[in-house]
Amino acid sequence: MSALQSYRLLVRTVGPLYVVVAFLGRVPLAMSQMGTLLLVSDATGSYAIAGGAAGALAVANALGAPVFGGLADRIGQRPVVLGQSVAGGAGLVLLVAVTHGGGSAPVVIAVSALAGLAIPQIGPLARVRWGPVLTRSAAPDRRRLLDAAFSYEGAADELSFVLGPATVGLLAVLVDPSEALLLAGAVLALFGSAFALHPTAALTRPEPGAARATGRLLTGVLVTLAVAQLLIGMLFGATQTGSTVLATAEGQAGLAGVIHATLGIGSAIAGLAVAALPERIGYPRRLVVAATGLVVLSTPLLFVQTVGQLVAVIALLGFAVAPYMISTFTMAGQLVDPARVGTAMTLLAGATGVGYALGSSLAGRLADGVPGIAPDGGHIPAFAVTVTATVLALATALALQYRTRTRPHPRPGT
């Protein structure tokens, strides 16, 4: 079965409406991070405060993700995602109101955190649904289809990072950054709720009387995978901040979202192509190759001086992102008890959020200027955080490959 045939069968299995709802439901998270960065930097004139607010939103989302993921494993996704979608949409509206109302930096950061806590991690939860969906379907070659489903989800995540920042950037140019967050709140309330109410959500509810999973969730390999995702999150946060700094310096602050969105274009293409890779190439090896690509393709960021140069570099960098993330999420899904997959997936997503916060905060501080380290500030010190994260990601991938070399390790479709 070819990759294209697999994708067509997946769409027929769940229906086109589900594909649309599950995709649009995850876009507000990408919109909220960039939107918060642009909104707060425009209102305060400080990249440090803006990075702190965007980081607070990401950290709170990261800390809440495994908690809500575990709750979804226990009672099903429907009530959890429905409640989060409504609360998250309201939180983004409140953030706009507080920022425009002249709230102090601590208040803005606190409200950002509350909004982030409520936003559901729809991407990881959508991954959880594929297992029971394919188990209950009559689709042939389930293992191959599950591999294709995870590749699709990786591409969908990256496409959300294209649509989210691009929408924010365009609205910032045409109207105002606050409009982007208001739209994100509306999209979340509508499509997040639709995702929660879709019939596939019923498949995630444990059977009455089913035994709860026991045993240790945080194995050494799963922790290593979480670190790997934290580092890719740092890449996102630092690159987003560096792009904002350079675009603002050239008088085109609203283009920051569009610039960062190019990262997701190549990533989405590469993500869809992953399903065509032969099964004999294990995921630990794929992770090393992708991490190597991140290092090589991110290094030119240290030399960009114009928006045009930045767009070209970021577009190429994207081709290594999705294969990296698909490898980590797929290995995690194969390592844990099926009854705890939601917790594992949201844990990795949460680690990505922590990394985003760390990357955006560090890049924001360096962009503002730090005596003795980066006295002049600017976009180059911010992008140095990106490159450092990719080097650490490669070291983590090599450590994971070494750890799994002498024991059976996850392979595609197993």
Side-chain angles (χ1 to χ4, degrees), residues 28-286:
L29 180 57
M31 292 180 67
S32 65
Q33 292 173 350
M34 174 60 86
T36 299
L37 188 68
L38 290 179
L39 174 68
V40 179
S41 63
D42 179 66
T44 66
S46 170
Y47 293 115
I49 296 175
L57 185 146
V59 166
N61 186 263
L63 295 178
V67 175
F68 290 114
L71 184 60
D73 281 339
R74 291 193 295 273
I75 67 174
Q77 291 185 11
R78 179 164 294 164
V80 176
V81 178
L82 186 59
Q84 282 191 279
S85 297
V86 175
L92 293 177
V93 173
L94 179 61
L95 175 58
V96 172
V98 168
T99 302
H100 280 301
S104 64
V107 171
V108 170
I109 291 174
V111 173
S112 298
L114 289 175
L117 181 66
I119 298 175
Q121 286 280 0
I122 289 180
L125 295 176
R127 287 176 171 87
V128 175
R129 294 190 186 186
W130 284 112
V133 164
L134 293 176
T135 296
R136 301 192 184 196
S137 73
D141 199 356
R142 176 182 175 274
R143 294 189 303 175
R144 180 70 175 175
L145 284 176
L146 191 59
D147 189 41
F150 272 64
S151 295
Y152 160 74
E153 291 296 341
D157 283 342
E158 297 311 311
L159 283 173
S160 73
F161 280 107
V162 172
L163 183 59
T167 302
V168 168
L170 288 174
L171 286 175
V173 171
L174 299 176
V175 189
D176 184 84
S178 62
E179 299 297 328
L181 282 183
L182 292 176
L183 178 61
V187 172
L188 177 58
L190 176 61
F191 289 98
S193 297
F195 178 77
L197 297 173
H198 192 272
T200 56
L203 301 180
T204 65
R205 187 175 60 247
E207 296 292 337
R212 292 184 60 180
T214 58
R216 189 160 59 102
L217 175 67
L218 295 178
T219 62
V221 174
L222 187 60
V223 170
T224 304
L225 291 171
V227 171
Q229 280 302 122
L230 181 145
L231 293 168
I232 201 69
M234 284 187 65
L235 180 149
F236 291 144
T239 303
Q240 198 170 82
T241 301
S243 299
T244 302
V245 173
L246 179 56
T248 301
E250 293 201 359
Q252 304 178 75
L255 291 180
V258 179
I259 293 169
H260 187 70
T262 60
L263 182 72
I265 297 176
S267 185
I269 295 172
L272 291 173
V274 164
L277 292 176
E279 295 185 12
R280 67 176 181 275
I281 303 177
Y283 282 106
R285 186 186 303 176
R286 294 184 187 189

Side-chain angles (χ1 to χ4, degrees), residues 27 44 71 92 301 335 358:
V27 172
T44 66
L71 184 60
L92 293 177
L301 287 173
L335 284 169
L358 182 60

Side-chain angles (χ1 to χ4, degrees), residues 242-394:
S243 299
T244 302
V245 173
L246 179 56
T248 301
E250 293 201 359
Q252 304 178 75
L255 291 180
V258 179
I259 293 169
H260 187 70
T262 60
L263 182 72
I265 297 176
S267 185
I269 295 172
L272 291 173
V274 164
L277 292 176
E279 295 185 12
R280 67 176 181 275
I281 303 177
Y283 282 106
R285 186 186 303 176
R286 294 184 187 189
L287 188 63
V288 170
V289 173
T292 302
L294 290 176
V295 174
V296 173
L297 296 174
S298 68
T299 300
L301 287 173
L302 300 176
F303 305 98
V304 298
Q305 296 297 330
T306 66
V307 167
Q309 294 172 354
L310 178 60
V311 168
V313 173
I314 287 182
L316 290 175
L317 176 60
F319 280 91
V321 172
Y324 180 98
M325 294 182 65
I326 290 169
S327 298
T328 58
F329 275 101
T330 304
M331 281 191 279
Q334 295 168 346
L335 284 169
V336 302
D337 187 301
R340 304 176 79 174
V341 171
T343 308
M345 294 297 174
T346 49
L347 175 65
L348 293 195
T352 309
V354 171
Y356 173 87
L358 182 60
S360 62
S361 296
L362 287 175
R365 293 292 297 273
L366 292 174
D368 280 345
V370 177
I373 300 177
D376 298 326
H379 63 281
I380 296 299
F383 287 137
V385 178
T386 299
V387 177
T388 300
T390 65
V391 173
L392 294 174
L394 177 56

